[in-house]
Amino acid sequence: MPEKNSPTIPAADRLSLSSGIWPSTATENENGALVLGGMSATEIAERHGTPVYVFDEADFRNRCARFRRAFEGFDVYYAGKAFMSRAAIRMVEEAGLSLDVCTEGELAFAKAIKFPAERILMHGNNKSTEELAAALDYGVGRIVVDSFAELDRLRELVPPFPGARPNILLRVTVGVRADTHAHIATAHEDQKFGFSLVSGEAAEAVRQVLRDGVLELRGLHSHIGSQILGTAGFEAAAKRLLELRAQFVRDGAALPELDLGGGFGIAYTPEDEPTEPEEMADILRTLVAKECAALGVDVPRLAIEPGRAIAGPSGVTLYTVGTVKHREGIRTFVAVDGGMSDNVRTALYDAAYSVRLAGRASDAPLQLVRVVGKHCDAGDVVVRDDQLPSDVRPGDLLAVPGTGAYCRSLAHNYNQVPRPPVVAVADGASREIVRRETIDDLLRLDVG
Ligand SMILES: *Cc1c(COP(=O)(O)O)cnc(C)c1O
């Protein structure tokens, strides 16, 4: 496989803070240190330690607003699993976006900040009765049902919630193979999510819900995967959903909504070229209008569920270098004080990341490096291949951009390494929004 981060891009462009892989407030100070939200990486590291996830608050708020504007007329649900914290979902709420949760735990965060229930949608491919009851009890706006077993569970739960005819969507597996890593492609036939379209399962589920009238079927849902850079997969999925919908609309069913899920990709390296939200919105709007006209049915209200595309670019992880090993004729390994416990995406999805020196300037020539962690696993890689100045040494601060989504939320404690804090920066000030885990926290869980 060609190495994605091969050094074909000129150094000046690679390091450029305006290349779309850094948060919008990123600059450099007179010492060559990275500045985020008006605070230098050096100050952030001194105050909060490393590793640390830095959350650029203005960048996050602006991106929420940008999606809201670009997708005017859509319901925009922030997918909370990308990065869930009370502070973050408060910002989501303030920006007027809605929220997608998929477990009772994520719902608990929404409840903790009194996120308006009608703007919450609940997902999950194996929701327990307790989770469904918690969702009904809070009065969430939409439940996306994933299986016949779940339809049964939900129907049985309805009586204790009189007056509530729960609004549901049915998750359809449309048979589109998204152009992304196999672990995050979710709409081809051979996977666990939803009702299959080709087998007729999805149509059967629609008929069943319409027939017994216990649940209010608002429409169909599809989520084709994650980190998708083009538009073809979304277009194919929308067409298939619309064709299925039209069969029932022609017979008099309303199905007023259509949810196209999330999955919009972001730039992790200068080689990634994501579709801008405005362009994506235009393409989807036009396509849906055209298809509906061709099918002779009304246009449903559209929804999307971006997670990564909102939270991802707002996050930068800062690490301190501990060792540098030059393996002659092979490569240089730069080991940092975190690793696969704070960013498992490289190991899990073969994800590509970028890195830069964050605490000082350097005129040394660039060299190809691999940034690795401190875990006892050869797969413990943070940045597979990128360039750093050849004088990189222990004590240097490094910054890895694009870590705002699926890093803290997928973090774990391998080797009993405590998870880093999330520090929000804005206007030259910083505050912890998720505190650093301590070894005492880990010991407290072990009650034996
Ligand atoms: C994960 C997920 C999302 C968000 O995906 P992103 O790639 O972060 O945009 C949206 N909807 C569903 C159903 C998901 O599972």
Side-chain angles (χ1 to χ4, degrees), residues 53-66:
Y53 300 109
V54 184
F55 175 90
D56 187 326
E57 185 169 334
D59 184 88
F60 184 84
R61 288 185 188 275
N62 289 341
R63 197 164 296 97
C64 287
R66 183 171 171 195

mmCIF file with all atom_site columns, all heavy atoms in Angstrom, residues 53-66:
data_model
loop_
_atom_site.group_PDB
_atom_site.id
_atom_site.type_symbol
_atom_site.label_atom_id
_atom_site.label_alt_id
_atom_site.label_comp_id
_atom_site.label_asym_id
_atom_site.label_entity_id
_atom_site.label_seq_id
_atom_site.pdbx_PDB_ins_code
_atom_site.Cartn_x
_atom_site.Cartn_y
_atom_site.Cartn_z
_atom_site.occupancy
_atom_site.B_iso_or_equiv
_atom_site.pdbx_formal_charge
_atom_site.auth_seq_id
_atom_site.auth_comp_id
_atom_site.auth_asym_id
_atom_site.auth_atom_id
_atom_site.pdbx_PDB_model_num
ATOM 1   N N   . TYR A 1 53 ? -5.604  16.779 25.350 1.00 0.00 ? 53 TYR A N   1
ATOM 2   C CA  . TYR A 1 53 ? -6.433  17.086 24.180 1.00 0.00 ? 53 TYR A CA  1
ATOM 3   C C   . TYR A 1 53 ? -6.818  18.555 24.299 1.00 0.00 ? 53 TYR A C   1
ATOM 4   O O   . TYR A 1 53 ? -7.465  18.951 25.283 1.00 0.00 ? 53 TYR A O   1
ATOM 5   C CB  . TYR A 1 53 ? -7.733  16.289 24.173 1.00 0.00 ? 53 TYR A CB  1
ATOM 6   C CG  . TYR A 1 53 ? -7.634  14.782 24.160 1.00 0.00 ? 53 TYR A CG  1
ATOM 7   C CD1 . TYR A 1 53 ? -7.982  14.043 25.285 1.00 0.00 ? 53 TYR A CD1 1
ATOM 8   C CD2 . TYR A 1 53 ? -7.280  14.087 23.008 1.00 0.00 ? 53 TYR A CD2 1
ATOM 9   C CE1 . TYR A 1 53 ? -7.965  12.653 25.269 1.00 0.00 ? 53 TYR A CE1 1
ATOM 10  C CE2 . TYR A 1 53 ? -7.259  12.698 22.984 1.00 0.00 ? 53 TYR A CE2 1
ATOM 11  C CZ  . TYR A 1 53 ? -7.592  11.984 24.119 1.00 0.00 ? 53 TYR A CZ  1
ATOM 12  O OH  . TYR A 1 53 ? -7.587  10.605 24.113 1.00 0.00 ? 53 TYR A OH  1
ATOM 13  N N   . VAL A 1 54 ? -6.446  19.345 23.329 1.00 0.00 ? 54 VAL A N   1
ATOM 14  C CA  . VAL A 1 54 ? -6.823  20.766 23.325 1.00 0.00 ? 54 VAL A CA  1
ATOM 15  C C   . VAL A 1 54 ? -8.058  20.916 22.439 1.00 0.00 ? 54 VAL A C   1
ATOM 16  O O   . VAL A 1 54 ? -8.089  20.405 21.310 1.00 0.00 ? 54 VAL A O   1
ATOM 17  C CB  . VAL A 1 54 ? -5.675  21.646 22.805 1.00 0.00 ? 54 VAL A CB  1
ATOM 18  C CG1 . VAL A 1 54 ? -6.060  23.121 22.901 1.00 0.00 ? 54 VAL A CG1 1
ATOM 19  C CG2 . VAL A 1 54 ? -4.399  21.372 23.594 1.00 0.00 ? 54 VAL A CG2 1
ATOM 20  N N   . PHE A 1 55 ? -9.063  21.593 22.974 1.00 0.00 ? 55 PHE A N   1
ATOM 21  C CA  . PHE A 1 55 ? -10.349 21.752 22.284 1.00 0.00 ? 55 PHE A CA  1
ATOM 22  C C   . PHE A 1 55 ? -10.506 23.230 21.970 1.00 0.00 ? 55 PHE A C   1
ATOM 23  O O   . PHE A 1 55 ? -10.613 24.065 22.880 1.00 0.00 ? 55 PHE A O   1
ATOM 24  C CB  . PHE A 1 55 ? -11.444 21.245 23.229 1.00 0.00 ? 55 PHE A CB  1
ATOM 25  C CG  . PHE A 1 55 ? -12.861 21.420 22.755 1.00 0.00 ? 55 PHE A CG  1
ATOM 26  C CD1 . PHE A 1 55 ? -13.489 20.429 22.012 1.00 0.00 ? 55 PHE A CD1 1
ATOM 27  C CD2 . PHE A 1 55 ? -13.594 22.556 23.077 1.00 0.00 ? 55 PHE A CD2 1
ATOM 28  C CE1 . PHE A 1 55 ? -14.811 20.569 21.604 1.00 0.00 ? 55 PHE A CE1 1
ATOM 29  C CE2 . PHE A 1 55 ? -14.913 22.704 22.670 1.00 0.00 ? 55 PHE A CE2 1
ATOM 30  C CZ  . PHE A 1 55 ? -15.528 21.711 21.932 1.00 0.00 ? 55 PHE A CZ  1
ATOM 31  N N   . ASP A 1 56 ? -10.477 23.571 20.688 1.00 0.00 ? 56 ASP A N   1
ATOM 32  C CA  . ASP A 1 56 ? -10.567 24.970 20.261 1.00 0.00 ? 56 ASP A CA  1
ATOM 33  C C   . ASP A 1 56 ? -12.043 25.370 20.212 1.00 0.00 ? 56 ASP A C   1
ATOM 34  O O   . ASP A 1 56 ? -12.771 25.038 19.280 1.00 0.00 ? 56 ASP A O   1
ATOM 35  C CB  . ASP A 1 56 ? -9.917  25.114 18.878 1.00 0.00 ? 56 ASP A CB  1
ATOM 36  C CG  . ASP A 1 56 ? -9.821  26.559 18.425 1.00 0.00 ? 56 ASP A CG  1
ATOM 37  O OD1 . ASP A 1 56 ? -10.718 27.359 18.758 1.00 0.00 ? 56 ASP A OD1 1
ATOM 38  O OD2 . ASP A 1 56 ? -8.853  26.878 17.720 1.00 0.00 ? 56 ASP A OD2 1
ATOM 39  N N   . GLU A 1 57 ? -12.439 26.097 21.261 1.00 0.00 ? 57 GLU A N   1
ATOM 40  C CA  . GLU A 1 57 ? -13.861 26.379 21.448 1.00 0.00 ? 57 GLU A CA  1
ATOM 41  C C   . GLU A 1 57 ? -14.455 27.201 20.304 1.00 0.00 ? 57 GLU A C   1
ATOM 42  O O   . GLU A 1 57 ? -15.549 26.891 19.811 1.00 0.00 ? 57 GLU A O   1
ATOM 43  C CB  . GLU A 1 57 ? -14.038 27.112 22.791 1.00 0.00 ? 57 GLU A CB  1
ATOM 44  C CG  . GLU A 1 57 ? -15.469 27.345 23.134 1.00 0.00 ? 57 GLU A CG  1
ATOM 45  C CD  . GLU A 1 57 ? -15.659 27.815 24.579 1.00 0.00 ? 57 GLU A CD  1
ATOM 46  O OE1 . GLU A 1 57 ? -14.808 27.509 25.450 1.00 0.00 ? 57 GLU A OE1 1
ATOM 47  O OE2 . GLU A 1 57 ? -16.672 28.484 24.823 1.00 0.00 ? 57 GLU A OE2 1
ATOM 48  N N   . ALA A 1 58 ? -13.751 28.238 19.865 1.00 0.00 ? 58 ALA A N   1
ATOM 49  C CA  . ALA A 1 58 ? -14.288 29.078 18.786 1.00 0.00 ? 58 ALA A CA  1
ATOM 50  C C   . ALA A 1 58 ? -14.435 28.266 17.512 1.00 0.00 ? 58 ALA A C   1
ATOM 51  O O   . ALA A 1 58 ? -15.425 28.378 16.785 1.00 0.00 ? 58 ALA A O   1
ATOM 52  C CB  . ALA A 1 58 ? -13.373 30.279 18.555 1.00 0.00 ? 58 ALA A CB  1
ATOM 53  N N   . ASP A 1 59 ? -13.452 27.424 17.268 1.00 0.00 ? 59 ASP A N   1
ATOM 54  C CA  . ASP A 1 59 ? -13.503 26.588 16.071 1.00 0.00 ? 59 ASP A CA  1
ATOM 55  C C   . ASP A 1 59 ? -14.721 25.667 16.104 1.00 0.00 ? 59 ASP A C   1
ATOM 56  O O   . ASP A 1 59 ? -15.452 25.529 15.123 1.00 0.00 ? 59 ASP A O   1
ATOM 57  C CB  . ASP A 1 59 ? -12.212 25.764 15.997 1.00 0.00 ? 59 ASP A CB  1
ATOM 58  C CG  . ASP A 1 59 ? -12.129 24.942 14.728 1.00 0.00 ? 59 ASP A CG  1
ATOM 59  O OD1 . ASP A 1 59 ? -11.630 25.480 13.728 1.00 0.00 ? 59 ASP A OD1 1
ATOM 60  O OD2 . ASP A 1 59 ? -12.579 23.786 14.730 1.00 0.00 ? 59 ASP A OD2 1
ATOM 61  N N   . PHE A 1 60 ? -14.954 25.060 17.267 1.00 0.00 ? 60 PHE A N   1
ATOM 62  C CA  . PHE A 1 60 ? -16.093 24.138 17.413 1.00 0.00 ? 60 PHE A CA  1
ATOM 63  C C   . PHE A 1 60 ? -17.417 24.879 17.241 1.00 0.00 ? 60 PHE A C   1
ATOM 64  O O   . PHE A 1 60 ? -18.301 24.447 16.502 1.00 0.00 ? 60 PHE A O   1
ATOM 65  C CB  . PHE A 1 60 ? -16.025 23.466 18.785 1.00 0.00 ? 60 PHE A CB  1
ATOM 66  C CG  . PHE A 1 60 ? -17.087 22.426 19.034 1.00 0.00 ? 60 PHE A CG  1
ATOM 67  C CD1 . PHE A 1 60 ? -16.925 21.122 18.585 1.00 0.00 ? 60 PHE A CD1 1
ATOM 68  C CD2 . PHE A 1 60 ? -18.245 22.747 19.729 1.00 0.00 ? 60 PHE A CD2 1
ATOM 69  C CE1 . PHE A 1 60 ? -17.903 20.160 18.825 1.00 0.00 ? 60 PHE A CE1 1
ATOM 70  C CE2 . PHE A 1 60 ? -19.241 21.790 19.968 1.00 0.00 ? 60 PHE A CE2 1
ATOM 71  C CZ  . PHE A 1 60 ? -19.058 20.491 19.518 1.00 0.00 ? 60 PHE A CZ  1
ATOM 72  N N   . ARG A 1 61 ? -17.533 26.032 17.924 1.00 0.00 ? 61 ARG A N   1
ATOM 73  C CA  . ARG A 1 61 ? -18.781 26.803 17.816 1.00 0.00 ? 61 ARG A CA  1
ATOM 74  C C   . ARG A 1 61 ? -19.015 27.265 16.375 1.00 0.00 ? 61 ARG A C   1
ATOM 75  O O   . ARG A 1 61 ? -20.142 27.210 15.876 1.00 0.00 ? 61 ARG A O   1
ATOM 76  C CB  . ARG A 1 61 ? -18.718 28.039 18.727 1.00 0.00 ? 61 ARG A CB  1
ATOM 77  C CG  . ARG A 1 61 ? -18.830 27.723 20.208 1.00 0.00 ? 61 ARG A CG  1
ATOM 78  C CD  . ARG A 1 61 ? -18.874 29.027 20.996 1.00 0.00 ? 61 ARG A CD  1
ATOM 79  N NE  . ARG A 1 61 ? -18.799 28.837 22.424 1.00 0.00 ? 61 ARG A NE  1
ATOM 80  C CZ  . ARG A 1 61 ? -19.855 28.583 23.202 1.00 0.00 ? 61 ARG A CZ  1
ATOM 81  N NH1 . ARG A 1 61 ? -21.068 28.469 22.666 1.00 0.00 ? 61 ARG A NH1 1
ATOM 82  N NH2 . ARG A 1 61 ? -19.710 28.429 24.500 1.00 0.00 ? 61 ARG A NH2 1
ATOM 83  N N   . ASN A 1 62 ? -17.937 27.704 15.725 1.00 0.00 ? 62 ASN A N   1
ATOM 84  C CA  . ASN A 1 62 ? -18.084 28.172 14.343 1.00 0.00 ? 62 ASN A CA  1
ATOM 85  C C   . ASN A 1 62 ? -18.497 27.046 13.409 1.00 0.00 ? 62 ASN A C   1
ATOM 86  O O   . ASN A 1 62 ? -19.269 27.253 12.477 1.00 0.00 ? 62 ASN A O   1
ATOM 87  C CB  . ASN A 1 62 ? -16.778 28.787 13.827 1.00 0.00 ? 62 ASN A CB  1
ATOM 88  C CG  . ASN A 1 62 ? -16.489 30.119 14.499 1.00 0.00 ? 62 ASN A CG  1
ATOM 89  O OD1 . ASN A 1 62 ? -17.398 30.738 15.057 1.00 0.00 ? 62 ASN A OD1 1
ATOM 90  N ND2 . ASN A 1 62 ? -15.236 30.542 14.473 1.00 0.00 ? 62 ASN A ND2 1
ATOM 91  N N   . ARG A 1 63 ? -17.971 25.868 13.667 1.00 0.00 ? 63 ARG A N   1
ATOM 92  C CA  . ARG A 1 63 ? -18.323 24.768 12.777 1.00 0.00 ? 63 ARG A CA  1
ATOM 93  C C   . ARG A 1 63 ? -19.772 24.331 12.990 1.00 0.00 ? 63 ARG A C   1
ATOM 94  O O   . ARG A 1 63 ? -20.471 23.994 12.038 1.00 0.00 ? 63 ARG A O   1
ATOM 95  C CB  . ARG A 1 63 ? -17.352 23.600 12.929 1.00 0.00 ? 63 ARG A CB  1
ATOM 96  C CG  . ARG A 1 63 ? -17.464 22.678 11.734 1.00 0.00 ? 63 ARG A CG  1
ATOM 97  C CD  . ARG A 1 63 ? -16.325 21.714 11.550 1.00 0.00 ? 63 ARG A CD  1
ATOM 98  N NE  . ARG A 1 63 ? -15.075 22.397 11.292 1.00 0.00 ? 63 ARG A NE  1
ATOM 99  C CZ  . ARG A 1 63 ? -14.184 22.652 12.222 1.00 0.00 ? 63 ARG A CZ  1
ATOM 100 N NH1 . ARG A 1 63 ? -14.377 22.270 13.451 1.00 0.00 ? 63 ARG A NH1 1
ATOM 101 N NH2 . ARG A 1 63 ? -13.094 23.289 11.913 1.00 0.00 ? 63 ARG A NH2 1
ATOM 102 N N   . CYS A 1 64 ? -20.233 24.364 14.247 1.00 0.00 ? 64 CYS A N   1
ATOM 103 C CA  . CYS A 1 64 ? -21.666 24.093 14.492 1.00 0.00 ? 64 CYS A CA  1
ATOM 104 C C   . CYS A 1 64 ? -22.509 25.087 13.696 1.00 0.00 ? 64 CYS A C   1
ATOM 105 O O   . CYS A 1 64 ? -23.462 24.708 13.015 1.00 0.00 ? 64 CYS A O   1
ATOM 106 C CB  . CYS A 1 64 ? -21.995 24.251 15.978 1.00 0.00 ? 64 CYS A CB  1
ATOM 107 S SG  . CYS A 1 64 ? -21.381 22.946 17.040 1.00 0.00 ? 64 CYS A SG  1
ATOM 108 N N   . ALA A 1 65 ? -22.138 26.361 13.783 1.00 0.00 ? 65 ALA A N   1
ATOM 109 C CA  . ALA A 1 65 ? -22.907 27.416 13.100 1.00 0.00 ? 65 ALA A CA  1
ATOM 110 C C   . ALA A 1 65 ? -22.844 27.234 11.593 1.00 0.00 ? 65 ALA A C   1
ATOM 111 O O   . ALA A 1 65 ? -23.836 27.435 10.885 1.00 0.00 ? 65 ALA A O   1
ATOM 112 C CB  . ALA A 1 65 ? -22.366 28.791 13.504 1.00 0.00 ? 65 ALA A CB  1
ATOM 113 N N   . ARG A 1 66 ? -21.677 26.852 11.119 1.00 0.00 ? 66 ARG A N   1
ATOM 114 C CA  . ARG A 1 66 ? -21.518 26.679 9.674  1.00 0.00 ? 66 ARG A CA  1
ATOM 115 C C   . ARG A 1 66 ? -22.406 25.537 9.156  1.00 0.00 ? 66 ARG A C   1
ATOM 116 O O   . ARG A 1 66 ? -23.040 25.663 8.106  1.00 0.00 ? 66 ARG A O   1
ATOM 117 C CB  . ARG A 1 66 ? -20.050 26.400 9.359  1.00 0.00 ? 66 ARG A CB  1
ATOM 118 C CG  . ARG A 1 66 ? -19.798 26.295 7.885  1.00 0.00 ? 66 ARG A CG  1
ATOM 119 C CD  . ARG A 1 66 ? -18.326 26.244 7.557  1.00 0.00 ? 66 ARG A CD  1
ATOM 120 N NE  . ARG A 1 66 ? -18.159 25.930 6.149  1.00 0.00 ? 66 ARG A NE  1
ATOM 121 C CZ  . ARG A 1 66 ? -17.028 25.538 5.600  1.00 0.00 ? 66 ARG A CZ  1
ATOM 122 N NH1 . ARG A 1 66 ? -15.933 25.435 6.349  1.00 0.00 ? 66 ARG A NH1 1
ATOM 123 N NH2 . ARG A 1 66 ? -16.971 25.253 4.316  1.00 0.00 ? 66 ARG A NH2 1
#
